């Protein structure tokens, strides 16, 4: 910054805090290359109404000064914005216009400001281009006049342009571009509306690829094209004109592609077919005149061929001329849009013009630009310096006039007579004029004669002009050609003869010669006509530009100018970096340094006397205050500033030299600082003393309260000590007494327990002795019975051995036969023979087992008879037992017999062991046979499963295809139905209007005769409304034909739908038939083997049971020695018997207690004992008699209650009837009065009042009738209940008569229990009246909202309620009600779904009704009675099945409705997700640092604030959570939710992949990593929700493979093979496009990939179809909810539904 140390004012540039600096009347604006928040509406309001120097320098301050001077002085103003390219001129002018539109206060004309701002994208597209210094450089100048009315409101605007750089159309330097509009067109070449233009990449056109820089970093030409088209539409340019403009621009590009070939020395040949097709001109004419020119002589006209160079120059001249005409036409259209009908009272002009330019090679354009800056600098000097010196003269300040630089000699050199422009025009008129001859004329005329003109040392084709800013060297090459701007006249005539209307309109202004003044604003060269008179009026470009500048100077001199100089801080566009040398160069070029020099020589700072007094009164003393402000200020300044040369006193102001104001500000700040310190000192002292006094008072208060607290604590301690002593005395006394009482009670207890124990021991000994005697008696009887059993089992054993031997022989034969070859052949011939053989063997074994079991039963019967005999013998033995005590000899003999019995028992044990071994052998053989059977079953099962699986897969594929076609046809059918309904509603509306008109005439005619006329209109409308379309007399033939076509189409779709449905049903039946065949075969095998296996197992269980009984008996027999009375075993059995007896007695008492409690509980609940109980079991202790008595008492109470209730109801009915009679009488009276009043004159007001009264009375009558119907219904209901109760009472009486036999009646009288009869069970049906049907649908469907009420209900409650109503209609066998209920439900749901609310509420509505529709469909299936659906039901649910109607067709209707709702749900989800997918999946940088400094997907400049509307992957996951939990909350089936999630993931995949395929900048390795990370997040979401098996992961496969393709290596042939193997879900075109978009992939690699993929059979479509909806299925999901348990909430207001 040291280079700017010229004056103190220049040093202000060192501060980057404010980027605008005021230097006199000039605002210097420095471009910070960063977005700053200093241009908002709050800043505009802050600067509005402020003076120029009150606030910081700003473009708003200059705008406010211009607006204020216009309003105050009634004089036009101008704001001149100048600077280098990229300094911010256009932005400064835009902010100035925004300020005027804001502060003008006119809301009605706010659209003018919008249109002015909308013109910016258009002018930038057609007039801006990329240069080496600026990516968006304006290549023309413009002056915008903003018109104001007398109230200073904006009413219109006008734009004038200057010197468009036409040469850029055909030539661009290195690292530069053509105008933006050409690249925007090339970016839109793939769009369908641009395909006829035959465009391609910008690299394909010579007019756009010369600079070799077709892309601007951070700019998306496609989005810029959208903004340009939007601006065209805002300014009123139609789509047709827009496409015409684009067609002309495309023709210019194709004109550049025209190749000129040499045919001879002076001829050429070309091909211009595309250009001619787009411009709709003659191909032969255009090709001819591009290669020839017309020469006119005095006598004839010649056509001369041109050389190749001349043809190329003519082609380029034609392209420039067409573009210039198009530019002028667009400017005129913009002015038309901004113009106003009223004349503006005043205006403010904003001049946005190019600054002084100097390049390495300067041509005609730089010459004109610097010439314009010379003129502007002259005007600036005259205005600025003149005002500065006039201010000194007016204030009578001693002042010597200062000479300043005058650039008039330089201007004379350019525009004076024989100046550069005159010599250029003269040379252009010469037949053989050239740039060299013009340069020689310049040297001869001005060299060494003008101090501002020089010749370069080393060049004869250049000249140097000393401008006010710098010396500039101009190259003469091209000056004459650019100045003449000639175009072949015949080429123009060919274009005028075009069939393209817009192209002809561009050249209409050339048909008549233009006036000299008309060309001045536009600065365009006009192509002359072929006539000589028009050629004389043709002007050169230099002359037109000079005239334009003169007109601009006249406009600026007639206004008050305000200057804004834009400074470019550096050439690298770095934010907040200033290059001192470049800044000084620009300040010098725009005249700011000269202004600073003049201001520093004078008095740059000035104050009025009042302002000085108000500002610096703090520096004055008391004695210096005088009544005259001027004298006061003089005395203060003489004291403060000793050097009197530093200031001067004027008439109204004080003038200061540079630096004096800063000195006075320093003195003022020191004074204020000292006063501030004194104030702070005093206040701090006061605060410290106040704080000290407050702390002292607080300490005294704390001491007082602390001392009082301590005294109270001492008193409390003394009191508690005395109380503790008293408590201890009484506690010790109580403890001693309690110990004494405890010891005495323990002694008494011990004595009592000892005495009881001895008594119990004695009693136990006596009992044991008695039991031992009893056991001895029973054991002896058992031994006798055992002897008989031993003999019988020995016989059975011999039979088993024989049969075992025979079975083994048979088994051996069977084994030999099974091993033979013939047997295997038989097995292979068919499994049925083998199964029959096995069945036969099993039958034989089963027969043997039955014989054995019969023998066993016979033996058991025989053993029972023997057992009886043994019992008789046992009795005789017991009788002889007394004698045996006296006979000891008999005891020894009995002991010997016992030994023999033991020996026999050992033998029996051995026999049992042998039987067990045989049983194990039989079991092993049985297991072997079972194993063989299972193996054969397994083989059959595997074969059947494989064939069944293949057939199932084939049928499933066909079923999916048919389902997809059917759902597509269903959606098309629904669309046609909606269209038909719309047409029908339109026709009905027309007919209703006519009917109302006719009815009004009839009503007016019959109003004299009868009141019945008032009832004609509704009856007529009601009867005529169904046939409105048929009775419409004005139906046209076209409407009838359209209606017939729609009906025919609907019929065809219905027929096709039925065919598809029947075909699908047949295929499903075939599949079920095959499944049933396989199941029956396997079931037959399993049943045969299973039955035999069960019989063997049952026989085995019987044998095991017998064996266990045998072992128990043996164990008892072996212990008989110890079973004598008094023995250990005898005592143990006796104890067990006693304990069992005691336990039985306790259980009996508990049962009696529980029964009594049960009776009390049932009586409390007013329920009747179930009649299914066994009365014999309740008859113990007179319980049945007690229950019967209580039941009779309850019945009597119920009968009395019913009688009283019936009487009260009859009384209420009588009262209601009386009230009804009274209302009817009143109604008759009112009607009589109404008929009498009709004889009055026909007044419309009276008629309206009468009609209203009649409708009111009719409504009251209907209400009364409805109330009466409700009462009648209640009476019928009560009568029905009474009959039921009477019937139950009669049944209870019958039961009492049957059960009250004499032996069951007990004489004990129990207490009477009051028992209320139990009400009947709810059958799961709801009854309603026909009048309440519309109310039912309104409450349950139309007005039921998913949010609020429906969320707190049972899932699917509306569906359950509708089905319960349907069950009642089926129970009543009312087919009309069933049809009405189902049709109305379907239509009402459709109408609810047609009402679209906000996106979130509409989604919830669709989800809610999808769940209820599916639940209604499942209920129809579950309760249809079909076995396939009823097998999941409980017995109670099977009782609720439909009995009278087959609703299978309505199930199909509900299925179609569910499909329609599902498709609407998917569309709503797509509309919500679609705008979020591309930003979240591609543009957002979820992995920080991978994408570099700026994400590749961000094409626009990064804003300084975060965008609120941006979408991230987290937002998509949250939205998916919302969808998932909403679907589950509404009770949708899990399988249906999985299908919805699969569809959502398919949408995410297709939209992301399509955006990736259309955006080249997204195809990179880092972006592939980003996409893979996002897909992993989606997979984690699926894992979290347990949705892995829903197919959603497979729908993401194309996107996953695309991400892998971006990350894989792409160099060798192996890499190409890996790509082909990996990318199975991507098409060949998608793989090739993704490879082509990557810059690192070579062409040969792409061709090798194409070669490997050429054999694939796939679709040739590049993009995925995001609108595909997968076919949806609704698997059967039975409801576990029992219908009788459903409770209807009172919040639904469904009181008119009666449970049955």
């Amino acid at each position: 910054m040291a280079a700017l140390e010229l004056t103190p004012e220049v040093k202000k540039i060192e501060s980057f805090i404010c980027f605008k600096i005021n230097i006199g009347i000039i605002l210097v604006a420095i471009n910070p290359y960063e977005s700053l928040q200093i241009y908002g509406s709050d800043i505009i309001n802050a600067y509005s109404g402020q003076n120029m120097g009150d606030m910081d320098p700003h473009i708003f301050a200059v705008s406010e000064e211009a607006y204020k001077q216009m309003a105050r002085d009634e004089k036009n103003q101008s704001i001149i914005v100048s600077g280098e390219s990229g300094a911010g001129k256009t932005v400064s002018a835009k902010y100035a216009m925004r300020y005027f539109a804001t502060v003008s206060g006119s809301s009605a004309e706010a659209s003018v400001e919008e249109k002015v701002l909308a013109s910016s994208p258009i002018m930038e597209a057609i007039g801006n281009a990329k240069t080496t210094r600026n990516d968006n450089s304006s290549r023309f100048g413009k002056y915008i006049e903003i018109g104001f009315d007398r109230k200073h409101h904006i009413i219109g605007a006008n734009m004038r342009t200057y010197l468009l750089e036409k040469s850029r159309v055909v030539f661009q330097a290195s690292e530069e571009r053509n105008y933006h509009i050409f690249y925007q067109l090339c970016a839109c070449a793939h769009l369908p509306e641009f395909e006829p233009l035959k465009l391609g990449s910008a690299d394909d056109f010579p007019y756009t690829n010369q600079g070799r820089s077709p892309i601007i970093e951070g700019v998306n030409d496609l989005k810029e094209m959208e903004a340009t088209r939007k601006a065209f539409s805002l300014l009123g340019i139609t789509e047709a004109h827009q496409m015409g403009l684009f067609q002309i621009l495309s023709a210019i590009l194709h004109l550049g592609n025209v190749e000129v070939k040499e045919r001879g020395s002076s001829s050429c040949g070309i091909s211009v077919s595309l250009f001619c097709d787009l411009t709709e001109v003659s191909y032969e004419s255009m090709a001819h005149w591009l290669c020839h020119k017309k020469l006119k002589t005095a006598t004839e006209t010649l056509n001369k061929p041109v050389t190749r160079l001349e043809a190329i120059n003519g082609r380029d001249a034609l392209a420039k001329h067409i573009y210039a005409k198009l530019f002028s036409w667009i400017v005129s259209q913009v002015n038309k849009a901004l113009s106003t009908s009223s004349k503006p009272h005043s205006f403010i002009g904003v001049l946005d013009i190019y600054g002084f330019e100097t390049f390495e090679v300067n041509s005609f354009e730089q010459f004109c630009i610097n010439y314009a800056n010379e003129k502007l600098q002259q005007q600036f000097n005259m205005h600025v310096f003149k005002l500065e010196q006039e201010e000194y003269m007016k204030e009578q300040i001693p002042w010597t006039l200062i000479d300043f630089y005058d650039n008039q000699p330089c201007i004379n050199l350019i525009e004076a007579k024989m100046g550069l422009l005159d010599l250029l025009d003269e040379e252009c008129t010469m037949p053989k004029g050239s740039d060299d001859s013009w340069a020689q004329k310049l040297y001869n005329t001005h060299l060494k004669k003008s101090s501002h003109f020089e010749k370069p040392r080393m060049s004869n084709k250049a000249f140097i002009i000393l401008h006010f800013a710098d010396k500039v060297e101009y190259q003469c090459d091209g000056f004459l050609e650019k100045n003449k701007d000639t175009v072949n006249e015949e080429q123009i005539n060919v274009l005028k003869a075009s069939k393209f209307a817009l192209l002809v309109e561009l050249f209409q202004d050339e048909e008549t010669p233009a006036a000299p003044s008309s060309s001045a604003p536009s600065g365009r060269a006009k192509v002359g006509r072929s006539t000589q008179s028009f050629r004389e009026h043709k002007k050169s470009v230099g002359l037109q530009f000079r005239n334009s500048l003169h007109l601009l100077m006249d406009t600026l001199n007639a206004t008050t100018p305000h200057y804004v100089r834009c400074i470019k801080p550096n050439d690298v566009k770095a934010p907040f970096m200033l290059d001192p040398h470049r800044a000084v160069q620009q300040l010098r070029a725009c005249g700011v340094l000269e202004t600073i020099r003049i201001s520093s020589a004078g008095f740059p700072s000035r104050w009025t006397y009042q302002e000085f007094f108000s500002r610096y009164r703090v520096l004055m003393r008391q004695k210096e205050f005088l009544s005259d402000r001027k004298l006061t200020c003089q005395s203060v300044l003489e004291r403060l500033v000793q050097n009197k040369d530093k200031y001067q006193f004027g008439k109204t102001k004080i003038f200061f030299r540079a630096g004096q104001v800063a000195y006075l500000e320093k003195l003022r700040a020191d004074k204020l600082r000292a006063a501030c310190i004194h104030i702070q000192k005093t206040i701090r002292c006061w605060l410290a003393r106040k704080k000290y006094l407050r702390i002292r008072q607080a300490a005294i208060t704390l001491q007082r309260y602390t001392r009082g607290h301590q005294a109270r604590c001492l008193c409390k301690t003394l009191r508690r000590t005395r109380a503790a002593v008293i408590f201890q005395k009484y506690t010790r006394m109580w403890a001693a007494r309690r110990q004494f009482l405890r010891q005495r009670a323990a002694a008494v207890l011990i004595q009592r327990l000892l005495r009881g124990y001895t008594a119990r021991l004695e009693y136990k000994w006596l009992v044991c002795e008695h039991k031992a005697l009893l056991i001895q008696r029973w054991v002896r009887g058992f031994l006798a019975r055992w002897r008989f059993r031993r003999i019988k089992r020995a016989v059975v054993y011999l039979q088993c051995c024989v049969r075992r031997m025979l079975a083994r022989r048979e088994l051996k034969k069977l084994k030999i036969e099974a091993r033979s070859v013939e047997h295997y052949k038989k097995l292979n011939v068919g499994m049925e023979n083998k199964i029959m053989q096995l069945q036969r063997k099993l039958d034989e074994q089963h027969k043997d087992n039955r014989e054995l079991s019969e023998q066993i039963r016979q033996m058991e019967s025989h053993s029972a008879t023997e057992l009886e005999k043994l019992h008789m013998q046992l009795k005789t033995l017991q009788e002889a037992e007394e004698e045996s005590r006296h006979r000891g000899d008999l005891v020894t003999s009995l002991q010997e017999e016992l030994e023999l019995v033991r020996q026999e028992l050992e033998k029996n044990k051995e026999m049992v062991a042998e039987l067990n071994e045989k049983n194990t052998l039989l079991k092993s053989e049985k297991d072997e046979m079972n194993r063989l059977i299972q193996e054969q079953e397994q083989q059959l099962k595997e074969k059947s499963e494989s064939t069944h699986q293949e057939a199932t897969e084939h049928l499933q594929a066909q079923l999916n295809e048919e389902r997809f076609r059917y759902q597509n046809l269903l959606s098309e059918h629904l669309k046609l139905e909606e269209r038909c309904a719309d047409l029908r509603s339109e026709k009905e509306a027309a007919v209703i209007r006519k009917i109302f008109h006719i009815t009004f005439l009839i009503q007016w005619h019959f109003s004299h005769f009868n009141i019945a006329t008032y009832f004609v209109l509704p009856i007529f409308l009601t009867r005529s409304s169904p046939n409105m379309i048929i009775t419409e007399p004005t139906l046209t033939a076209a409407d009838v034909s359209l209606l017939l076509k729609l009906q025919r189409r609907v019929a065809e779709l219905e027929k096709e739908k039925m065919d598809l449905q029947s075909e699908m049903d047949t295929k499903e039946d075939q599949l079920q038939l095959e499944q049933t065949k396989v199941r029956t075969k396997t079931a037959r095998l399993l049943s045969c083997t299973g039955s035999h296996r069960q019989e063997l197992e049952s026989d085995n269980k019987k044998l095991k049971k017998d064996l266990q009984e045998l072992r128990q008996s043996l164990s008892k027999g072996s212990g008989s020695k110890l079973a004598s009375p008094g023995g250990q075993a005898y005592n143990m059995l006796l104890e067990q018997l006693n304990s069992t007896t005691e336990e039985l007695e306790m259980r009996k008492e508990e049962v009696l207690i529980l029964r009594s409690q049960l009776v009390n509980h049932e009586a409390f609940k007013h329920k009747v004992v179930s009649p299914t109980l066994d009365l014999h079991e309740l008859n113990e202790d007179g319980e049945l008699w007690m229950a019967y008595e209580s039941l009779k008492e309850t019945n009597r109470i119920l009968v009395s209650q019913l009688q009283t209730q019936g009487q009260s109801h009859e009384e209420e009915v009588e009262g209601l009837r009386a009230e009804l009679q009274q209302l009817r009488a009143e109604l008759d009276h009112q009607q009589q009065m109404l008929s009498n009043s009709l004889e009055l004159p026909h007044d419309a007001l009276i008629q309206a009042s009468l009609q209203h009264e009649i409708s009111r009375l009719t409504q009251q009558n209907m209400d009364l009738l409805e109330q009466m119907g409700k009462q009648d219904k209640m009476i019928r209901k009560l009568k029905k209940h009474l009959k039921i109760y009477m019937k139950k009472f009669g049944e209870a009486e019958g039961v009492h008569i049957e059960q009250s036999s004499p032996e069951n009646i007990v004489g004990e009288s129990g207490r009477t229990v009051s028992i209320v009869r139990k009400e009947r069970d709810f059958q799961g049906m709801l009854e309603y009246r026909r009048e309440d049907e519309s109310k039912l649908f309104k409450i349950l469907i139309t007005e039921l909202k998913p949010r609020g009420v429906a969320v707190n209900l049972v899932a699917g409650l509306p569906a359950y309620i509708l089905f319960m109503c349907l069950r009642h209609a089926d129970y009543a066998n009312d087919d009309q009600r069933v049809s009405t209920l189902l049709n109305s439900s379907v239509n009402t749901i459709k109408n609810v779904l047609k009402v679209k609310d906000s996106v979130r509420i509409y989604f919830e509505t669709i989800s809610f009704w999808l769940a209820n529709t599916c639940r209604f469909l499942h209920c129809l299936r579950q309760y249809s009675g079909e076995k396939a659906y009823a097998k999941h039901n409980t017995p109670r649910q099977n009782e609720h099945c439909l009995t009278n109607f087959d609703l299978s067709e309505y199930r199909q209707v509900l299925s179609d409705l569910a499909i329609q709702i599902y498709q609407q749900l998917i569309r709503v989800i797509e509309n919500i997700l679609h705008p979020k997918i591309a930003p979240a999946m591609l543009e957002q940088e979820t992995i920080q640092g991978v994408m570099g400094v700026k994400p590749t997907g961000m094409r626009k400049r990064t804003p300084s604030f975060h965008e609120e509307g941006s979408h991230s992957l987290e937002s998509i996951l949250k939205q998916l959570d919302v969808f998932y939990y909403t679907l589950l909350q509404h009770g949708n089936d899990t399988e249906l939710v999985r299908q919805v999630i699969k569809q959502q993931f398919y949408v995410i995949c297709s939209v992301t992949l399509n955006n990736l395929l259309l955006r080249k900048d997204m195809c990179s390795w880092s972006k592939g990593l980003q996409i893979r990370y996002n897909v992993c997040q989606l997979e984690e979401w699926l894992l979290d929700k347990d949705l892995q098996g829903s197919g959603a992961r497979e729908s993401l496969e194309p996107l996953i493979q695309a991400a892998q393709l971006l990350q894989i290596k792409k160099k060798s042939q192996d890499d190409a093979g890996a790509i082909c193997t990996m990318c199975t879900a991507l098409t060949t075109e998608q793989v090739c496009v993704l490879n082509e978009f990557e810059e690192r992939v070579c062409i040969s690699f792409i061709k090798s990939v194409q070669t490997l993929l050429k054999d694939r059979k796939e679709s040739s479509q590049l993009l995925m179809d995001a609108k595909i909806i997968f076919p949806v299925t609704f698997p059967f999901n039975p409801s576990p909810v029992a219908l009788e348990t459903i409770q209807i909430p009172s919040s639904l207001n469904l009181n008119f539904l009666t449970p049955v």
Side-chain angles (χ1 to χ4, degrees), residues 1171 1175 1184 1188 1191-1192 1195 1285-1301 1317:
L1175 299 178
L1184 182 61
Y1188 176 71
L1191 182 61
K1192 287 202 299 182
N1195 290 334
Y1285 286 137
M1286 292 298 293
K1287 185 178 179 181
K1288 288 187 177 182
F1289 180 77
E1291 292 174 357
E1293 289 287 342
V1295 171
H1296 169 63
I1297 292 172
E1298 292 175 1
Q1299 299 297 332
S1300 57
S1301 58
R1317 183 177 294 276

Side-chain angles (χ1 to χ4, degrees), residues 531-687:
T531 61
Q532 185 65 26
S533 59
F534 183 70
R535 188 180 292 111
E536 292 175 358
H537 289 88
K538 180 182 176 181
K539 296 181 180 180
S540 64
V541 176
L543 180 59
Q544 294 181 57
F545 187 65
R546 180 169 59 184
N547 295 337
S548 301
L549 283 180
H550 288 166
L551 182 60
L552 177 62
M553 292 301 108
D554 294 341
T555 303
L556 295 179
N557 292 330
T559 61
T560 301
H562 304 269
Y563 298 96
V564 178
R565 302 303 193 203
C566 297
I567 302 300
K568 187 176 182 180
N570 57 76
D571 291 330
V572 295
K573 305 173 189 176
F576 299 104
M577 186 181 79
L578 182 66
D579 187 358
H581 300 286
R582 289 284 291 124
V584 170
Q585 179 185 1
Q586 295 174 73
L587 290 172
R588 183 181 295 109
C590 62
V592 175
L593 298 183
E594 189 70 17
T595 306
I596 295 173
R597 183 179 67 81
I598 295 175
S599 298
S600 5
F603 298 92
S605 302
R606 57 208 69 180
W607 294 80
T608 63
Y609 290 105
Q610 181 61 37
E611 291 174 348
F612 183 84
F613 177 80
S614 300
R615 181 71 178 173
Y616 299 108
R617 65 182 300 174
V618 296
L619 300 176
M620 299 178 185
R621 299 172 182 174
Q622 187 65 32
K623 62 181 180 179
E624 292 177 349
F625 283 93
L626 302 175
S627 58
D628 190 359
R629 299 296 188 211
K630 184 174 181 179
L631 296 177
T632 303
C633 295
Q634 287 179 357
S635 61
V636 171
L637 277 175
E638 289 175 354
R639 178 172 58 85
L640 295 176
V641 182
Q642 303 299 328
N643 188 358
K644 295 183 179 182
D645 186 53
K646 298 295 184 180
Y647 59 89
Q648 289 290 338
F649 296 99
K651 293 174 65 176
T652 61
K653 296 180 181 179
I654 306 174
F655 292 81
F656 296 95
R657 293 194 183 275
Q660 297 307 309
V661 175
Y663 172 70
L664 292 176
E665 287 293 323
K666 178 179 179 301
L667 294 177
R668 180 176 178 273
D670 293 341
K671 185 75 174 179
L672 292 176
R673 187 180 296 107
C676 182
I677 292 171
H678 183 71
I679 293 171
Q680 289 176 351
K681 177 186 69 176
T682 306
I683 291 176
R684 287 170 182 168
C685 174
W686 177 76
L687 292 175

Side-chain angles (χ1 to χ4, degrees), residues 1113-1152:
S1113 63
L1114 290 175
S1115 61
K1116 291 179 181 178
S1118 61
S1120 61
K1121 284 186 176 182
L1122 301 175
S1124 59
Q1128 185 177 1
Y1130 183 84
N1131 294 332
M1132 186 179 298
L1133 290 174
L1134 188 60
E1135 288 178 0
Q1136 290 178 359
L1137 181 61
N1138 291 333
S1139 61
T1140 304
T1141 305
E1142 291 174 358
E1143 184 176 0
L1144 288 174
E1145 294 293 331
M1146 292 174 62
R1147 296 298 181 193
K1148 186 176 181 180
E1149 293 175 359
E1150 290 176 0
V1151 167
L1152 292 175

Side-chain angles (χ1 to χ4, degrees), residues 1333-1334 1337 1341-1342 1362 1377-1391 1450:
E1333 192 168 80
S1334 60
F1337 295 131
I1341 300 178
T1342 306
L1362 290 174
R1377 178 171 291 191
V1378 170
S1379 177
T1380 305
L1381 181 65
L1382 291 172
N1383 293 331
S1384 301
S1385 301
V1386 172
N1387 294 331
T1388 310
I1389 292 173
K1390 287 182 179 179
N1391 294 332
Y1450 279 102

Side-chain angles (χ1 to χ4, degrees), residues 865-1023:
T865 56
E866 294 294 330
L867 185 62
E868 291 295 332
K869 293 178 180 180
L870 289 175
H871 278 300
M872 296 300 294
Q873 293 177 4
L874 183 61
K875 288 180 180 180
T876 56
L877 289 174
Q878 288 177 354
E879 292 175 356
E881 186 177 1
E882 295 294 335
E883 297 177 0
S884 64
R885 295 179 182 175
H886 303 286
R887 298 176 182 179
D889 298 335
L890 293 174
V891 173
T892 56
S893 63
L894 289 174
Q895 287 179 355
E896 291 176 357
E897 290 178 359
L898 183 62
E899 291 294 334
L900 294 174
V901 169
R902 286 179 180 175
Q903 293 176 3
E904 291 178 359
L905 182 61
E906 293 295 334
K907 294 179 180 178
N908 290 331
K909 286 182 179 180
E910 293 177 357
M911 291 172 63
V912 168
E914 292 177 358
L915 288 173
N916 289 333
E917 291 177 358
K918 294 177 181 179
N919 194 11
T920 53
L921 290 174
L922 289 173
K923 284 183 181 180
S924 62
E925 292 174 357
K926 184 190 72 173
D927 293 339
E928 182 67 22
M929 293 178 66
N930 289 335
R931 185 181 62 78
L932 292 174
I933 293 170
Q934 289 177 359
E935 288 178 356
Q936 294 173 0
E937 289 175 355
Q938 186 67 24
Q939 292 176 0
L940 288 173
K941 189 175 181 181
E942 288 176 355
K943 291 181 180 179
S944 62
E945 284 180 354
S946 62
T947 56
H948 172 65
Q949 183 69 24
E950 293 175 356
T952 303
E953 290 176 354
H954 181 66
L955 291 174
Q956 189 66 31
Q958 292 182 354
L959 183 62
N960 288 334
E961 292 177 359
E962 295 296 330
R963 187 181 288 116
F964 184 75
R965 289 177 53 198
Y966 172 74
Q967 293 182 7
N968 289 337
L969 290 173
L970 180 61
S971 61
E972 185 179 358
H973 173 65
L974 293 174
K975 291 178 182 177
L976 290 174
E977 283 184 347
E978 292 175 358
R979 175 60 178 164
C980 184
D982 294 338
L983 293 174
R984 187 177 293 110
S985 62
E986 292 175 1
K987 297 299 178 183
E988 288 176 0
V991 174
I992 286 172
R993 286 196 295 271
K994 293 184 179 181
I995 290 174
F996 267 104
H997 179 66
I998 297 170
T999 309
F1000 177 77
L1001 296 177
I1002 296 172
Q1003 181 180 358
W1004 179 83
H1005 180 70
F1006 286 101
S1007 60
H1008 302 277
F1009 302 101
N1010 196 352
I1011 190 64
T1013 307
Y1014 295 104
F1015 300 97
V1016 171
L1017 177 61
I1019 295 171
F1020 182 71
L1021 288 177
T1022 304
R1023 294 181 178 177

Side-chain angles (χ1 to χ4, degrees), residues 351-370:
L351 178 64
D352 176 13
I353 199 165
Y354 18 63
F356 187 84
E357 289 186 357
T358 173
F359 299 110
E360 294 181 0
V361 178
N362 300 288
S363 186
F364 181 73
E365 290 82 1
Q366 284 71 38
F367 174 75
C368 294
I369 290 171
N370 293 336

